[in-house]
Amino acid sequence: MTSTDSAQKAPAKDPWDLPDVSGYVVGVLGGTGPQGKGLAYRLARAGQKVIIGSRSADRARSAADELGHGVEGADNAEAARRSDIVIVAVPWDGHGDTLKSLAADLAGKLVVDCVNPLGFDKKGAYALKPEEGSAAEQAAALLPDSRVAAAFHHLSAVLLQDPEIEQIDTDVMVLGEERADVEIVQALAGRIPGMRGIFAGRLRNAHQVESLVANLISVNRRYKAHAGLRLTDV
Protein backbone atom coordinates (compact mmCIF):
# COMPACT_ATOMS: atom_id res chain seq x y z
CA MET A 1 0.00 0.00 0.00
CA THR A 2 1.37 3.39 -0.94
CA SER A 3 1.41 6.43 1.32
CA THR A 4 -1.30 7.94 -0.91
CA ASP A 5 -3.53 4.90 -0.32
CA SER A 6 -3.01 5.21 3.43
CA ALA A 7 -3.90 8.87 3.41
CA GLN A 8 -7.13 8.23 1.48
CA LYS A 9 -8.29 5.29 3.62
CA ALA A 10 -11.43 6.25 5.54
CA PRO A 11 -11.09 6.31 9.31
CA ALA A 12 -12.74 3.49 11.25
CA LYS A 13 -16.35 4.22 12.11
CA ASP A 14 -16.96 5.18 15.73
CA PRO A 15 -19.06 2.28 17.14
CA TRP A 16 -20.98 4.79 19.27
CA ASP A 17 -21.95 6.90 16.28
CA LEU A 18 -25.55 5.69 16.10
CA PRO A 19 -28.44 6.91 13.93
CA ASP A 20 -31.35 9.08 15.01
CA VAL A 21 -34.29 6.68 15.43
CA SER A 22 -36.73 9.10 17.05
CA GLY A 23 -38.94 9.20 13.96
CA TYR A 24 -39.47 5.45 13.64
CA VAL A 25 -42.80 3.85 14.52
CA VAL A 26 -42.22 0.82 16.76
CA GLY A 27 -44.67 -2.07 16.85
CA VAL A 28 -44.62 -4.57 19.72
CA LEU A 29 -46.16 -7.96 18.94
CA GLY A 30 -47.31 -9.55 22.16
CA GLY A 31 -47.61 -6.05 23.57
CA THR A 32 -50.19 -7.06 26.15
CA GLY A 33 -47.79 -9.47 27.89
CA PRO A 34 -45.45 -8.31 30.68
CA GLN A 35 -42.29 -7.93 28.58
CA GLY A 36 -43.96 -6.42 25.55
CA LYS A 37 -46.06 -4.06 27.61
CA GLY A 38 -43.01 -2.96 29.58
CA LEU A 39 -40.95 -2.28 26.46
CA ALA A 40 -43.83 -0.40 24.87
CA TYR A 41 -44.20 1.75 27.98
CA ARG A 42 -40.48 2.61 28.20
CA LEU A 43 -40.12 3.45 24.53
CA ALA A 44 -43.29 5.54 24.45
CA ARG A 45 -42.25 7.33 27.63
CA ALA A 46 -38.97 8.18 25.87
CA GLY A 47 -40.92 9.79 23.03
CA GLN A 48 -41.12 6.93 20.53
CA LYS A 49 -44.34 6.32 18.60
CA VAL A 50 -45.49 2.85 19.69
CA ILE A 51 -48.26 0.52 18.51
CA ILE A 52 -48.85 -2.61 20.56
CA GLY A 53 -50.23 -5.69 18.87
CA SER A 54 -52.19 -8.64 20.18
CA ARG A 55 -54.29 -11.43 18.73
CA SER A 56 -57.21 -9.39 20.07
CA ALA A 57 -57.38 -5.77 18.88
CA ASP A 58 -59.70 -4.92 21.78
CA ARG A 59 -57.22 -6.26 24.32
CA ALA A 60 -54.43 -4.32 22.63
CA ARG A 61 -56.42 -1.08 22.71
CA SER A 62 -57.27 -1.60 26.37
CA ALA A 63 -53.59 -2.14 27.23
CA ALA A 64 -52.62 0.91 25.16
CA ASP A 65 -55.09 3.07 27.08
CA GLU A 66 -53.48 1.89 30.34
CA LEU A 67 -50.00 2.79 29.13
CA GLY A 68 -50.82 6.27 27.83
CA HIS A 69 -47.97 8.27 26.24
CA GLY A 70 -49.69 8.08 22.87
CA VAL A 71 -49.49 4.28 22.63
CA GLU A 72 -51.99 2.76 20.21
CA GLY A 73 -53.38 -0.77 20.12
CA ALA A 74 -54.24 -3.00 17.17
CA ASP A 75 -54.26 -6.63 16.16
CA ASN A 76 -50.83 -8.07 15.41
CA ALA A 77 -51.17 -7.78 11.63
CA GLU A 78 -52.15 -4.11 11.70
CA ALA A 79 -49.42 -3.30 14.23
CA ALA A 80 -46.88 -4.98 11.94
CA ARG A 81 -48.06 -3.17 8.82
CA ARG A 82 -48.07 0.28 10.44
CA SER A 83 -44.62 -0.01 12.04
CA ASP A 84 -41.07 0.53 10.79
CA ILE A 85 -39.47 -1.59 13.52
CA VAL A 86 -41.33 -4.55 15.00
CA ILE A 87 -40.35 -6.08 18.34
CA VAL A 88 -41.45 -9.69 18.79
CA ALA A 89 -42.35 -10.33 22.44
CA VAL A 90 -44.83 -13.20 22.09
CA PRO A 91 -44.69 -16.35 24.25
CA TRP A 92 -42.24 -18.94 22.96
CA ASP A 93 -45.00 -21.52 22.51
CA GLY A 94 -46.69 -19.31 19.90
CA HIS A 95 -43.55 -17.82 18.35
CA GLY A 96 -43.32 -19.88 15.18
CA ASP A 97 -47.02 -19.90 14.34
CA THR A 98 -47.37 -16.16 14.98
CA LEU A 99 -44.47 -15.20 12.74
CA LYS A 100 -45.50 -17.61 10.01
CA SER A 101 -48.95 -16.03 9.89
CA LEU A 102 -47.49 -12.50 9.74
CA ALA A 103 -44.74 -13.07 7.16
CA ALA A 104 -46.43 -10.90 4.54
CA ASP A 105 -47.20 -8.10 7.02
CA LEU A 106 -43.60 -8.11 8.25
CA ALA A 107 -42.01 -8.08 4.79
CA GLY A 108 -39.53 -5.23 4.45
CA LYS A 109 -39.55 -4.51 8.19
CA LEU A 110 -36.75 -4.60 10.71
CA VAL A 111 -37.90 -7.33 13.12
CA VAL A 112 -36.30 -7.44 16.58
CA ASP A 113 -36.80 -10.76 18.34
CA CYS A 114 -36.58 -10.72 22.15
CA VAL A 115 -38.12 -14.14 22.82
CA ASN A 116 -36.35 -16.54 25.17
CA PRO A 117 -37.07 -20.25 24.59
CA LEU A 118 -37.27 -21.60 28.14
CA GLY A 119 -38.64 -24.62 29.94
CA PHE A 120 -39.52 -24.88 33.62
CA ASP A 121 -39.53 -27.79 36.03
CA LYS A 122 -39.10 -28.29 39.77
CA LYS A 123 -35.42 -27.33 39.46
CA GLY A 124 -36.28 -23.99 37.88
CA ALA A 125 -35.82 -22.46 34.44
CA TYR A 126 -33.70 -24.06 31.74
CA ALA A 127 -32.88 -23.18 28.14
CA LEU A 128 -34.48 -24.86 25.15
CA LYS A 129 -32.69 -25.07 21.81
CA PRO A 130 -34.95 -24.66 18.78
CA GLU A 131 -34.26 -26.71 15.67
CA GLU A 132 -33.05 -23.53 13.91
CA GLY A 133 -30.61 -22.82 16.77
CA SER A 134 -32.44 -19.96 18.52
CA ALA A 135 -35.67 -18.00 18.50
CA ALA A 136 -33.99 -15.30 16.42
CA GLU A 137 -32.77 -17.80 13.83
CA GLN A 138 -36.26 -19.31 13.69
CA ALA A 139 -37.60 -15.81 13.01
CA ALA A 140 -35.06 -15.30 10.24
CA ALA A 141 -36.03 -18.62 8.65
CA LEU A 142 -39.75 -17.82 8.78
CA LEU A 143 -39.36 -14.21 7.62
CA PRO A 144 -37.14 -14.33 4.51
CA ASP A 145 -38.35 -10.90 3.36
CA SER A 146 -37.64 -9.19 6.71
CA ARG A 147 -34.38 -8.06 8.33
CA VAL A 148 -34.11 -9.86 11.66
CA ALA A 149 -32.11 -8.77 14.69
CA ALA A 150 -32.20 -9.95 18.30
CA ALA A 151 -32.21 -7.78 21.45
CA PHE A 152 -33.97 -6.88 24.72
CA HIS A 153 -33.69 -10.41 26.19
CA HIS A 154 -32.41 -9.60 29.67
CA LEU A 155 -34.78 -6.89 30.87
CA SER A 156 -36.98 -7.19 33.93
CA ALA A 157 -40.65 -6.75 33.05
CA VAL A 158 -41.23 -5.56 36.63
CA LEU A 159 -38.73 -2.72 36.26
CA LEU A 160 -39.91 -1.84 32.77
CA GLN A 161 -43.49 -1.38 33.95
CA ASP A 162 -42.74 0.51 37.17
CA PRO A 163 -43.59 4.21 36.58
CA GLU A 164 -41.63 5.22 39.70
CA ILE A 165 -38.35 4.08 38.13
CA GLU A 166 -36.83 6.87 36.05
CA GLN A 167 -34.01 4.87 34.45
CA ILE A 168 -32.96 1.26 34.10
CA ASP A 169 -29.20 0.83 34.31
CA THR A 170 -28.47 -2.12 32.07
CA ASP A 171 -26.94 -3.10 28.75
CA VAL A 172 -28.86 -4.58 25.84
CA MET A 173 -26.98 -7.13 23.74
CA VAL A 174 -27.90 -6.68 20.07
CA LEU A 175 -27.28 -9.35 17.43
CA GLY A 176 -27.80 -9.18 13.69
CA GLU A 177 -26.38 -9.67 10.23
CA GLU A 178 -26.28 -6.08 8.99
CA ARG A 179 -24.40 -3.36 10.83
CA ALA A 180 -26.92 -0.69 9.88
CA ASP A 181 -29.81 -2.70 11.33
CA VAL A 182 -27.89 -3.50 14.51
CA GLU A 183 -27.08 0.18 15.00
CA ILE A 184 -30.75 1.12 14.64
CA VAL A 185 -31.62 -1.32 17.42
CA GLN A 186 -28.71 -0.12 19.56
CA ALA A 187 -29.96 3.44 19.16
CA LEU A 188 -33.50 2.37 20.01
CA ALA A 189 -32.28 0.76 23.24
CA GLY A 190 -30.36 3.94 24.03
CA ARG A 191 -33.58 5.95 23.93
CA ILE A 192 -34.49 4.40 27.28
CA PRO A 193 -32.67 6.24 30.11
CA GLY A 194 -29.91 4.12 31.63
CA MET A 195 -29.70 1.61 28.79
CA ARG A 196 -26.98 1.03 26.22
CA GLY A 197 -27.30 -1.11 23.12
CA ILE A 198 -24.13 -3.09 22.42
CA PHE A 199 -23.31 -5.22 19.37
CA ALA A 200 -22.89 -8.84 20.49
CA GLY A 201 -22.42 -10.81 17.29
CA ARG A 202 -24.39 -12.34 14.46
CA LEU A 203 -27.62 -14.28 14.80
CA ARG A 204 -25.76 -17.58 15.05
CA ASN A 205 -24.71 -16.41 18.52
CA ALA A 206 -28.26 -15.70 19.68
CA HIS A 207 -28.83 -19.02 21.45
CA GLN A 208 -26.47 -18.34 24.34
CA VAL A 209 -27.86 -14.81 24.74
CA GLU A 210 -31.41 -16.12 24.90
CA SER A 211 -30.34 -18.95 27.24
CA LEU A 212 -28.71 -16.60 29.74
CA VAL A 213 -32.18 -15.56 30.89
CA ALA A 214 -32.46 -18.92 32.68
CA ASN A 215 -29.42 -17.92 34.76
CA LEU A 216 -30.87 -14.50 35.51
CA ILE A 217 -34.10 -16.11 36.71
CA SER A 218 -32.03 -18.17 39.15
CA VAL A 219 -30.20 -15.03 40.32
CA ASN A 220 -33.46 -13.19 40.83
CA ARG A 221 -35.03 -16.00 42.84
CA ARG A 222 -32.04 -16.39 45.15
CA TYR A 223 -31.45 -12.68 45.76
CA LYS A 224 -35.03 -11.38 45.43
CA ALA A 225 -33.75 -9.08 42.67
CA HIS A 226 -34.46 -7.93 39.12
CA ALA A 227 -30.98 -8.53 37.73
CA GLY A 228 -29.78 -7.25 34.37
CA LEU A 229 -26.40 -7.12 32.62
CA ARG A 230 -23.56 -4.63 32.42
CA LEU A 231 -20.64 -5.23 30.05
CA THR A 232 -17.36 -3.85 31.39
CA ASP A 233 -14.62 -1.98 29.53
CA VAL A 234 -16.93 -1.02 26.64
Side-chain angles (χ1 to χ4, degrees):
M1 180 181 293
T2 67
S3 58
T4 302
D5 292 334
S6 299
Q8 293 177 346
K9 185 176 180 181
K13 187 178 186 298
D14 180 352
W16 296 111
D17 180 15
L18 301 174
D20 177 8
V21 297
S22 59
Y24 285 106
V25 178
V26 178
V28 183
L29 306 186
T32 58
Q35 193 78 357
K37 198 172 181 180
L39 278 169
Y41 171 68
R42 286 291 158 180
L43 289 169
R45 181 169 159 169
Q48 209 75 36
K49 175 59 186 174
V50 177
I51 304 170
I52 59 174
S54 173
R55 286 177 297 178
S56 164
D58 287 341
R59 189 161 66 243
R61 284 191 284 266
S62 178
D65 289 343
E66 290 176 30
L67 294 177
H69 297 283
V71 176
E72 294 183 46
D75 62 43
N76 280 328
E78 181 182 345
R81 287 193 300 269
R82 292 178 56 196
S83 301
D84 304 303
I85 304 169
V86 180
I87 297 173
V88 180
V90 300
W92 167 241
D93 288 348
H95 183 265
D97 289 342
T98 299
L99 294 185
K100 195 180 301 181
S101 71
L102 295 172
D105 301 298
L106 291 168
K109 310 288 184 177
L110 173 53
V111 176
V112 185
D113 202 297
C114 71
V115 175
N116 303 304
L118 297 175
F120 295 86
D121 60 19
K122 63 182 180 181
K123 294 182 179 180
Y126 60 95
L128 303 175
K129 188 159 188 179
E131 182 180 346
E132 298 84 354
S134 64
E137 288 169 294
Q138 183 183 87
L142 293 172
L143 304 173
D145 297 320
S146 304
R147 296 130 53 214
V148 176
F152 301 115
H153 301 91
H154 307 132
L155 306 180
S156 163
V158 173
L159 298 184
L160 288 172
Q161 294 186 74
D162 188 341
E164 299 300 316
I165 294 176
E166 294 294 328
Q167 65 178 51
I168 300 176
D169 294 318
T170 192
D171 289 331
V172 173
M173 299 175 75
V174 184
L175 303 97
E177 299 303 317
E178 299 295 333
R179 179 164 184 163
D181 291 337
V182 168
E183 289 181 347
I184 288 172
V185 182
Q186 287 181 261
L188 190 65
R191 296 270 287 158
I192 301 173
M195 287 192 192
R196 297 187 305 173
I198 295 180
F199 171 65
R202 293 179 179 267
L203 289 186
R204 68 181 183 180
N205 292 318
H207 171 65
Q208 56 264 37
V209 174
E210 297 169 0
S211 300
L212 188 58
V213 174
N215 302 89
L216 290 177
I217 290 172
S218 297
V219 170
N220 291 336
R221 286 181 173 173
R222 174 64 61 90
Y223 297 100
K224 303 294 188 290
H226 302 293
L229 295 180
R230 270 298 192 205
L231 301 177
T232 62
D233 199 33
V234 178

